[in-house]
Amino acid sequence: MIPISKPFIGEEEKAGVLAVLESGMLAQGKKVAALEEAFAAICGTKHAVATSSGTTALHLALLANGIGEGDEVITTAFTFIATVTSILFTGAKPVFVDIDPETFNLNPALIEQAVTPRTKSILPVHLYGQVCEMEAIQKVADAHGLTIIEDAAQAVGATRHGKKAGSFGTGCFSLYATKNIMSAEGGMVTTDDDAIAEKVRMLHNQGMKRRYYHDMLGYNFRMTDLHAAIGLAQVNRLDDFTAKRRANAEYLSAHIKNVITPQVMPGNKHVWHQYTIRIPDKNRDAAVKQLNDAGIGTGIFYPVPVHRQQFVRQIVGDVSLPVTEKLANEVISLPVHPQLSAQDLEKIAAEANKL
Ligand SMILES: Cc1ncc(COP(=O)(O)O)c(C=O)c1O
């Protein structure tokens, strides 16, 4: 089976972890600081603060932006659950806006009508590795005095008009094992704002600046040096990994003929966390089976949109998002990861052409 994802673990990752183990300093230390510096450089931001996961990065970014009880955050339901649970953890309410069928991302034309006096933030998700239409989103945010918190979990290194994912507002990344670069588990918050960075730093470490003096209610959402050692080795591979993902996606788009293939918006550099085709609803399950039977791994991201998850529905009620609901029944992600061989790509395209 050609897997849908395959984490790369090389000699540098192993040596990095071993060096941390041998140093005896296992918790947060120099490796985390080095990874934060490298990550800020990747995103072109002044600060990056490492966290224990993408979920905790989102949670802290929201808290640091002052989101809490009674506030509303506009976001997409066509995403991983953590985008929305992080809003709920703060006591705020997610307000869902439908997506653009071409990009799978928030449809900016629908955002303004979702703004209420309680709206505090817009939380766009750069799904599958493609940055949202940030200039349009920024316009609405500016008009209503809203902050922007980006879920860039899948989009490290992606750009829109040359500007990096994670640099448009407060950026949130995941370094989970299957992401474009990873640290097994981990996350990152990026920002140019000194006050936000300081708040995230305090919140992720028990609300303290000075050891054992706790200025606010905080968490233990720190990354360890063991995880950072893996992440640091991966950072050096990012350009190579991204180039391979891009070449793989270009090959698939050039060779897959009979189904809807993913589009890249003008001005965007996609980093292809997922390569996602669309198959008419009634044929999707059979198509997945056919691909799997032929040895092609697949992923459905995501079969149940967040507003249709049972516990979310109890909170937000019966929301109608026609494009989100349609696409949730149509998407199939195919392998696009950097470890695919030329033969793998040929086989994926050939099997997709039999659908
Ligand atoms: C869009 C999106 N948001 C948030 C997350 C949460 O990240 P993590 O799994 O590192 O907590 C992920 C990844 O799993 C994701 O894909």
Side-chain angles (χ1 to χ4, degrees):
M1 178 77 89
I2 302 171
I4 181 71
S5 64
K6 189 172 179 189
F8 181 92
I9 297 148
E11 289 312 311
E12 291 81 357
E13 283 81 352
K14 292 177 195 167
V17 170
L18 202 60
V20 173
L21 284 173
E22 284 170 351
S23 77
M25 302 285 288
L26 306 184
Q28 189 163 104
K30 285 185 187 148
K31 296 280 187 191
V32 170
L35 181 61
E36 289 176 340
E37 199 181 321
F39 216 91
I42 289 171
C43 299
T45 55
K46 194 168 169 195
H47 305 279
V49 183
T51 59
S52 52
S53 70
T55 308
T56 55
L58 282 159
H59 187 174
L60 295 182
L62 285 153
L63 290 176
N65 276 276
I67 308 300
E69 205 81 43
D71 296 333
E72 292 178 358
V73 178
I74 293 173
T75 193
T76 168
F78 199 60
T79 184
F80 183 57
I81 190 76
T83 311
V84 175
T85 50
S86 61
I87 297 170
L88 294 171
F89 291 149
T90 70
K93 185 178 162 219
V95 173
F96 297 113
V97 161
D98 214 351
I99 55 172
D100 175 332
E102 299 289 319
T103 62
F104 309 100
N105 282 336
L106 271 184
N107 182 342
L110 303 176
I111 295 177
E112 186 123 43
Q113 64 207 55
V115 174
T116 77
R118 284 187 292 278
T119 311
K120 275 275 182 67
S121 272
I122 307 173
L123 202 171
V125 180
H126 307 318
L127 201 72
Y128 303 148
Q130 170 156 236
V131 178
C132 296
E133 284 177 70
M134 292 309 297
E135 62 284 5
I137 293 173
Q138 188 73 57
K139 214 181 239 178
V140 182
D142 289 347
H144 297 276
L146 312 175
T147 54
I148 292 177
I149 296 165
E150 301 167 70
D151 183 338
Q154 303 184 0
V156 60
T159 62
R160 177 152 182 85
H161 301 307
K163 194 167 162 55
K164 289 283 181 70
S167 71
F168 293 90
T170 308
C172 303
F173 292 86
S174 167
L175 289 162
Y176 177 67
T178 58
K179 293 295 190 282
N180 287 23
I181 55 171
M182 61 94 192
S183 61
E185 290 275 10
M188 201 65 74
V189 179
T190 53
T191 178
D192 285 329
D193 185 318
D194 297 344
I196 298 271
E198 178 167 300
K199 202 151 178 210
V200 171
R201 220 168 257 296
M202 288 178 73
L203 285 167
H204 95 313
N205 189 23
Q206 310 288 10
M208 62 183 174
K209 249 192 282 190
R210 192 173 152 207
R211 209 166 171 77
Y212 303 129
Y213 290 78
H214 305 275
D215 301 328
M216 59 173 77
L217 178 67
Y219 303 82
N220 173 1
F221 284 167
R222 298 183 303 261
M223 182 185 279
T224 72
D225 263 21
L226 278 171
H227 292 92
I230 302 173
L232 270 172
Q234 294 262 309
V235 156
N236 294 328
R237 306 187 193 282
L238 178 62
D239 289 348
D240 174 49
F241 281 175
T242 304
K244 285 188 173 133
R245 282 181 182 274
R246 214 165 266 154
N248 292 348
E250 277 166 15
Y251 178 93
L252 294 175
S253 290
H255 290 84
I256 295 177
K257 300 291 176 202
N258 307 327
V259 298
I260 304 174
T261 51
Q263 300 299 308
V264 182
M265 281 193 78
N268 274 2
K269 278 206 158 179
H270 201 309
V271 295
W272 300 104
H273 177 59
Q274 299 296 345
Y275 183 92
T276 303
I277 60 171
R278 288 171 54 192
I279 299 280
D281 180 2
K282 62 182 192 317
N283 303 332
R284 204 245 319 253
D285 290 351
V288 168
K289 183 172 183 322
Q290 195 177 321
L291 288 165
N292 294 165
D293 287 349
I296 313 292
T298 53
I300 308 287
F301 308 109
Y302 297 89
V304 182
V306 175
H307 69 299
R308 295 289 189 202
Q309 301 285 349
Q310 203 186 338
F311 81 96
V312 178
R313 205 170 185 159
Q314 280 167 12
I315 297 166
V316 300
D318 204 10
V319 179
S320 168
L321 301 167
V323 181
T324 296
E325 284 149 29
K326 180 173 160 60
L327 266 55
N329 290 325
E330 294 185 355
V331 290
I332 303 178
S333 294
L334 301 175
V336 72
H337 58 78
Q339 296 194 69
L340 295 174
S341 65
Q343 292 94 309
D344 291 338
L345 285 164
E346 260 174 48
K347 187 170 166 182
I348 295 164
E351 294 302 331
N353 281 332
K354 293 180 194 161
L355 294 176

